[in-house]
Amino acid sequence: MTVAEHEKHPIAEQLRRLSSADPHYAVSFVDILLRAAVQVRASDLHLQPTGEGLDLRWRLDGMLHRLGTFASGTSSDIVTRLKVLADLLTYRTDAPQEGRIRNPSWSSEMRVSTYPTLFGERAVVRIFSDPDQLMYPRELGFPDETLSDWNTLLSQSAGVLVISGPAGSGKTTTAYASLRELLRAPQGVRSILTIEDPIEVPLPGAAQAQVSPTFGLSTALRSALRQDPEVLLVGEIRDPDVARGVFNAALTGHLVLKIGRAHV
């Protein structure tokens, strides 16, 4: 589907038929949009305020596609509706916020991030995969040879495995599937710790930690190594201290999985 075809997508046409003057405009708009995004397996939604309205895009298979520009709403606002669903402070429009939408009927959890801009609040919705899908590496569609090589790497007792790629390419999905594979390995339970920003999905059997202003990545990594881990998942390497910590951990008998974007 081309860029122009995405702007003519049935969902885009359905959204355009909504009246922005309707008091229920934002509720209807968000409900239609989120359900459609789950259905087409979009990984992210971008809602960018402009001088003309709200520019809407979704990410499919790692690529952003524009759906068009839509009215924000006259008596009800689309981004405000997202903030309500994510339990964010609707009266705070001057600072970034993050929250989650949990709706069992959609079988997907979503993270909402807002950011103040010149024309209003920008919102990005990250849509997580159904927790009952893509559980293990075998379900990710790898060729048999690649799957065999990856499982061999996961069986190692030390080293660094870098899971890299553009946004929406499945890095986090691959990392979690790999950890689940390690947790169910027949050779015995392994001590698994994660350092994430933020924690994307609860992972039974692993100790998951989320970094914060008072619990930074370097501190978290040093503390994690005192917890007798065998496997570490590190969300990002942001500075030389963290990089040294990761490779020191790998050299001292730990298997480290690192998630990171590819840089061209």
Side-chain angles (χ1 to χ4, degrees):
M1 186 177 287
T2 65
V3 173
E5 287 173 336
H6 274 274
E7 294 188 27
K8 297 178 181 178
H9 192 282
I11 293 302
E13 297 295 337
Q14 187 176 357
L15 293 174
R16 286 192 185 94
R17 288 195 293 268
L18 297 175
S19 171
S20 60
D22 187 329
H24 303 291
Y25 170 72
V27 173
S28 300
F29 190 103
V30 169
D31 185 68
I32 292 170
L33 177 61
L34 296 185
R35 289 181 184 278
V38 171
Q39 192 172 38
V40 300
R41 296 187 178 181
S43 62
D44 301 88
L45 293 169
H46 289 211
L47 296 92
Q48 171 74 43
T50 69
E52 290 72 42
L54 200 62
D55 188 71
L56 176 61
R57 304 174 186 230
W58 60 14
R59 190 181 295 280
L60 300 174
D61 299 323
M63 298 292 293
L64 269 179
H65 300 278
R66 187 172 184 272
L67 289 172
T69 299
F70 302 86
S72 298
T74 304
S75 59
S76 61
D77 181 78
I78 293 169
V79 173
T80 300
R81 175 58 182 167
L82 285 171
K83 291 171 72 174
V84 169
L85 292 175
D87 293 325
L88 300 179
L89 301 176
T90 57
Y91 60 85
R92 287 300 305 270
T93 61
D94 59 343
Q97 295 188 64
E98 286 191 13
R100 292 195 178 226
I101 299 175
R102 297 174 174 87
N103 189 325
S105 66
W106 293 337
S107 300
S108 292
E109 185 171 328
M110 306 176 189
R111 185 178 73 229
V112 177
S113 171
T114 64
Y115 190 82
T117 71
L118 175 63
F119 292 104
E121 283 187 289
R122 183 179 196 269
V124 172
V125 182
R126 165 60 59 90
I127 303 169
F128 301 118
S129 301
D130 184 336
D132 294 326
Q133 297 178 352
L134 308 179
M135 293 284 288
Y136 302 102
R138 182 166 293 280
E139 300 171 3
L140 300 181
F142 291 139
D144 289 342
E145 184 178 355
T146 302
L147 178 64
S148 177
D149 290 343
W150 184 247
N151 285 334
T152 297
L153 291 172
L154 289 177
S155 69
Q156 302 303 305
S157 60
V160 179
L161 302 180
V162 179
I163 303 171
S164 184
S169 61
K171 300 184 295 296
T172 301
T173 298
T174 301
Y176 275 103
S178 299
L179 293 183
R180 291 191 191 97
E181 186 71 25
L182 290 171
L183 287 166
R184 72 169 182 173
Q187 61 266 33
V189 177
R190 299 175 77 174
S191 174
I192 297 177
L193 274 70
T194 76
I195 305 169
E196 305 174 65
D197 184 19
I199 294 172
E200 304 282 12
V201 180
L203 187 64
Q208 295 172 270
Q210 181 167 303
V211 300
S212 68
T214 57
F215 187 61
L217 198 52
S218 296
T219 301
L221 183 56
R222 287 193 299 269
S223 298
L225 291 173
R226 300 187 188 105
Q227 294 291 311
D228 189 28
E230 294 167 284
V231 180
L232 283 167
L233 171 68
V234 179
E236 292 185 33
I237 296 179
R238 296 175 177 169
D239 56 59
D241 285 341
V242 175
R244 280 191 290 268
V246 164
F247 285 99
N248 283 337
L251 292 170
T252 53
H254 304 85
L255 180 66
V256 183
L257 275 69
K258 156 73 175 70
I259 303 173
R261 293 191 182 188
H263 295 279
V264 178

